[in-house]
């Protein structure tokens, strides 16, 4: 079993994050990571003052992109502020000083960041951070009011001990609140923040000998799509994966396994702290009673391959469903016949809250990007229309949340 957290497929939305000269600038690094975990590309602009608090190398390392600072720094892009302004799907200023707030409120464009803000047509989110008296100063209140009238979204500063020693309002808001407000502009919900979601995905492989194995057909796409969607919605995600040809989703804790026994051990561990368990793996039902340490030989009369004894694998969903407690448990039922009847039996036998049932067969479900399913719970059965596995992943998470609340 191996564990890791890795990067994934190319994000489609860009947040341009403006970092200004404030002691809270170090928190912008956490904002970058959280946005990336939600599947968003982040491009950073720093003011010259901000570079006194955090080295641009930090943001360059986190984003794998150049950090923009000066208006004329990039000789390959003479109108850098325009290209940055156009790249932004959301412009986020965090932390935003009183000075930058005043500039943006009054349309002043005297450095790269303020010029880019003036040039963008993207929604703007501002998370101010400053001394309490600067925050309460009528000039700042007036500037905030002006920006709110223009549709700029504010993430109110928090109250508490400030770096200057004063106590009051002016602390940068919580990273999660800033990230939620930013993602809301991109239509991404954060309703799983603070929740631990455990997912099994892909097939398991059960060795017969060093060369051969028993397995099930599974691309792992559904489980991976659920993991990606859960991370984007703010969850801590553990994805326990059999061997698949897919990249790990961003910000997800990966546990790679081969056999059903390994998957069960990993799932038991992750389930301890999970709020939601989603069992999307196509676990091999049987395994050889003994796995040979040498390649078994064929032969007319004395084939070592004939009569391989098989024994049943543990049922991971059933084992953990039996000790679910307050957790939400979601299973799958891939059926060729009597889909709903079989799914109903699994719902009860495996102690699940929800079974996602689908018809399988030639060209259906396995390895495809779309799926048509039913949701069965103990009250009702709902038929969902044909949809992408990404949309289905969101629907499964929303359904799980109904049981959590
Ligand atoms: N499952 C599991 N461990 C197993 C077998 C299945 O956790 N050893 C889970 C699957 O991840 C899925 C659900 O149980 O969520 C149903 O799996 P499925 O393959 O449809 O059914 P089986 O229980 O294997 O029953 P059958 O093969 O008879 O349809």
């Amino acid at each position: 079993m191996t564990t890791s957290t890795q990067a994934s497929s190319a994000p489609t939305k860009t947040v341009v994050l403006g970092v200004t000269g404030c002691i809270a600038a170090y928190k912008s690094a956490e904002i970058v990571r959280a946005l990336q975990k939600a599947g968003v590309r982040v491009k950073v602009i720093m003011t010259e003052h901000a570079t006194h608090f955090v080295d641009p190398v930090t943001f360059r390392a986190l984003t794998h992109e150049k950090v923009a600072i000066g208006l004329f720094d990039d000789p390959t892009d003479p109108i850098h502020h325009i290209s940055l302004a156009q790249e932004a799907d959301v412009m986020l200023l965090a932390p935003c000083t009183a000075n930058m707030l005043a500039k943006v409120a009054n349309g002043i464009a005297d450095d790269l960041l303020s010029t880019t803000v003036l040039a963008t047509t993207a929604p703007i989110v501002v998370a101010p951070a400053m001394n309490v008296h600067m925050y309460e100063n009528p000039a700042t209140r007036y500037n905030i009011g002006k920006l709110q009238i223009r549709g700029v979204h504010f993430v109110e500063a928090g109250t508490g001990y400030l770096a200057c020693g004063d106590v009051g309002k002016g602390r940068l808001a919580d990273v999660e609140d800033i990230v939620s407000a930013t993602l809301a502009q991109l239509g991404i919900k954060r309703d799983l923040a603070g929740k631990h979601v455990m997912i099994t995905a892909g097939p398991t492989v059960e060795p017969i000998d060093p060369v051969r194995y028993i397995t099930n057909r599974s691309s792992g796409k559904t489980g991976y799509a659920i993991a990606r969607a859960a991370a984007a919605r703010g969850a801590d995600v553990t994805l326990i994966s059999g061997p698949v040809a897919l990249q790990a989703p961003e910000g997800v804790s990966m546990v790679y396994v081969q056999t059903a026994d390994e998957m069960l051990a990993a799932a038991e561990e992750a389930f301890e702290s999970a709020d939601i368990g989603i069992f999307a793996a196509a676990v091999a039902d049987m395994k050889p009673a003994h796995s040979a340490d040498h390649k078994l030989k064929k032969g007319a009369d004395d084939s070592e391959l004939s009569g391989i004894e098989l024994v049943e694998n543990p049922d991971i969903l059933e084992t953990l469903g039996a000790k679910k407690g307050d957790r939400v448990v979601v299973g799958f039922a891939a059926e060729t016949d009597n889909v709903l009847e079989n799914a109903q039996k699994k719902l009860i036998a495996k102690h699940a809250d929800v079974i996602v049932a689908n018809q399988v067969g030639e060209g259906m479900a396995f390895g495809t990007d779309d799926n048509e399913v039913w949701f069965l719970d103990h009250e009702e059965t709902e038929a969902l229309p044909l949809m992408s596995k990404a949309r289905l992943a969101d629907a499964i998470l929303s359904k799980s949340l109904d049981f959590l609340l």
Side-chain angles (χ1 to χ4, degrees):
M1 196 193 308
T2 51
T3 311
S4 70
T5 304
Q6 291 180 10
S8 72
S9 51
T12 53
K13 298 286 182 190
T14 299
V15 170
V16 173
L17 168 62
V19 182
T20 66
C22 166
I23 189 73
Y26 73 96
K27 290 193 185 159
S28 306
E30 282 178 53
I31 295 172
V32 171
R33 291 300 291 135
L35 288 170
Q36 288 173 327
K37 190 176 159 190
V40 170
R41 171 182 173 235
V42 185
K43 178 98 194 146
V44 175
I45 305 177
M46 298 178 82
T47 61
E48 203 276 321
H49 285 178
T51 65
H52 292 273
F53 292 90
V54 180
D55 198 294
V57 171
T58 303
F59 294 115
R60 197 168 73 216
L62 288 173
T63 61
H64 303 282
E65 306 222 27
K66 275 190 250 171
V67 173
I69 301 166
L71 263 169
F72 308 104
D73 279 356
D74 190 345
T76 62
D77 187 358
I79 41 175
H80 204 185
H81 57 288
I82 301 297
S83 51
L84 285 164
Q86 286 171 347
E87 270 184 287
D89 292 297
V90 175
M91 182 92 216
L92 167 64
L93 303 181
C96 183
T97 57
N99 181 48
M100 183 56 68
L101 200 69
K103 287 205 258 185
V104 175
N106 293 288
I108 293 170
D110 65 352
D111 62 8
L112 180 62
L113 181 55
S114 55
T115 312
T116 307
V117 176
L118 194 63
T120 195
T121 55
I124 300 171
V125 178
V126 174
M130 62 197 74
N131 166 273
V132 56
H133 303 302
M134 293 169 84
Y135 197 62
E136 287 172 354
N137 190 300
T140 302
R141 302 318 305 166
Y142 181 61
N143 288 332
I144 290 178
K146 261 168 112 173
L147 287 171
Q148 279 172 326
I149 289 168
R150 298 214 305 256
V152 170
H153 305 274
F154 272 84
V155 189
E156 276 283 305
T159 303
Y161 180 79
L162 305 175
C164 51
D166 282 342
V167 175
K169 203 159 185 175
R171 266 163 61 141
L172 185 69
D174 284 347
V175 167
E176 180 52 41
D177 293 339
I178 296 169
V179 170
S180 296
T182 308
L183 293 176
Q185 296 306 311
L186 296 172
I188 301 173
K189 293 180 268 192
R190 296 290 281 177
D191 48 4
L192 287 169
K195 304 293 179 210
H196 179 199
V197 180
M198 184 222 83
I199 300 154
T200 67
T204 64
V205 294
E206 314 294 335
I208 296 170
D209 64 20
V211 179
R212 305 177 180 93
Y213 56 74
I214 299 171
T215 193
N216 271 11
R217 285 177 69 171
S218 170
S219 67
K221 281 182 183 173
T222 299
Y224 275 60
I226 297 168
R228 185 172 291 111
R233 288 165 71 160
D236 288 327
V237 183
T238 306
L239 177 58
I240 301 163
S241 173
V244 293
L246 297 172
Q247 268 193 302
E250 177 72 41
V252 162
S253 296
M254 296 297 302
V255 185
Y256 292 104
V257 297
Q258 297 284 322
T259 65
D261 287 320
E262 287 175 8
M263 188 173 271
L264 174 62
E268 274 179 326
E269 194 182 327
F271 199 65
E272 282 283 315
S273 59
D275 299 288
I276 301 173
I278 301 179
F279 298 79
V283 182
D285 298 289
M286 310 295 282
K287 65 181 170 192
H290 309 285
S291 167
D293 58 5
H294 64 283
K295 187 180 176 196
L296 299 177
K297 287 293 166 197
K298 289 184 287 197
D301 302 322
D302 58 348
S303 170
E304 288 184 297
L305 283 167
S306 62
I308 292 173
E309 192 193 339
L310 297 178
V311 292
E312 249 185 60
N313 260 327
D315 191 307
I316 300 166
L317 168 57
E318 194 181 329
T319 308
L320 296 182
K323 42 186 169 185
K324 68 188 277 299
D326 292 339
R327 298 172 193 84
V328 179
V329 167
V330 179
F332 283 71
E335 309 290 342
T336 54
D337 307 290
N338 306 324
V339 179
L340 295 182
E341 197 183 313
N342 287 324
Q344 186 69 38
K345 284 184 192 156
K346 286 176 186 171
L347 178 73
I348 295 161
K350 303 200 185 201
H351 320 280
D353 293 297
V354 182
I355 289 284
V356 181
N358 67 323
Q359 177 109 37
V360 291
E362 265 327 289
M364 283 191 276
F366 292 125
T368 60
D369 291 322
D370 298 317
N371 210 346
E372 194 170 1
V373 305
W374 289 264
F375 284 165
L376 283 85
D377 62 36
H378 295 276
E379 310 254 287
E380 58 180 10
T381 298
E382 183 189 350
L384 278 76
L386 181 72
M387 61 177 79
S388 68
K389 286 186 176 172
R391 271 197 62 204
L392 175 60
D394 263 321
I396 291 169
L397 292 169
S398 297
K399 179 83 181 170
S400 307
L401 267 176
D402 290 346
F403 288 85
L404 202 60
L405 302 175

